[in-house]
Every structure is written in C-alpha cells, then in structure tokens.
Amino acid sequence: MNTGQIQIRLSLTDQLYQFLLGQSSRLGIPVTQVIKHMVIEKAQKEEYPVFAASKQTIEDSKKALEEYKK
C-alpha cells in the first residue's frame, strides 16, 4: 500500500470555511485535520462494489494455475 502523502489545494466559499473554522475551534484541532477527519469518515461509510468473475475469467484462472503448477 502506498503510504505517501498528497497535498490538495482547495477553494471554499466563505460560509463553508466559517463552518470548518467553527468545527476546528469546537474540536480544538486545525481546519486541515477537520477536513481529513470528514474525508476518512465518509470513506469508512462507503461500500465498495464487489464484482463476480465471469465464467471465462474463472476458466482462464484455473488454466493459468494448472500451467503454473507444472
């Protein structure tokens, strides 16, 4: 897993920025940490789709595994 950091430049309306400042003040953490927490919280609630492999993919995988074992 890539553990590098990415910086994002973000433009906000004054109203949204004031909201974030309020959250920051209430929680006692920097605005950037409030945003990071919100993103993490949203990501944890998301359900990622799981796709079933097609019959062809399953057959190809079995064939490749058999050839690998030889």
Side-chain angles (χ1 to χ4, degrees):
M1 179 179 193
N2 185 0
T3 58
Q5 298 270 331
I6 304 296
Q7 289 187 344
I8 298 174
R9 186 175 177 147
L10 181 64
S11 297
L12 304 170
T13 63
D14 186 56
Q15 184 179 13
L16 185 52
Y17 182 65
Q18 292 303 319
F19 168 77
L20 290 173
L21 280 177
Q23 294 292 311
S24 171
S25 177
R26 185 174 65 81
L27 297 170
I29 60 176
V31 170
T32 54
Q33 291 298 322
V34 173
I35 295 169
K36 187 182 283 189
H37 173 74
M38 288 177 168
V39 170
I40 291 169
E41 189 176 88
K42 174 69 174 167
Q44 289 174 340
K45 289 180 182 178
E46 289 292 315
E47 290 187 29
Y48 295 96
V50 177
F51 301 99
S54 68
K55 286 184 180 182
Q56 185 65 46
T57 300
I58 293 171
E59 290 172 12
D60 291 346
S61 298
K62 286 180 181 178
K63 183 178 177 182
L65 187 57
E66 288 172 11
E67 289 178 10
Y68 175 77
K69 288 180 180 179
K70 291 179 184 180

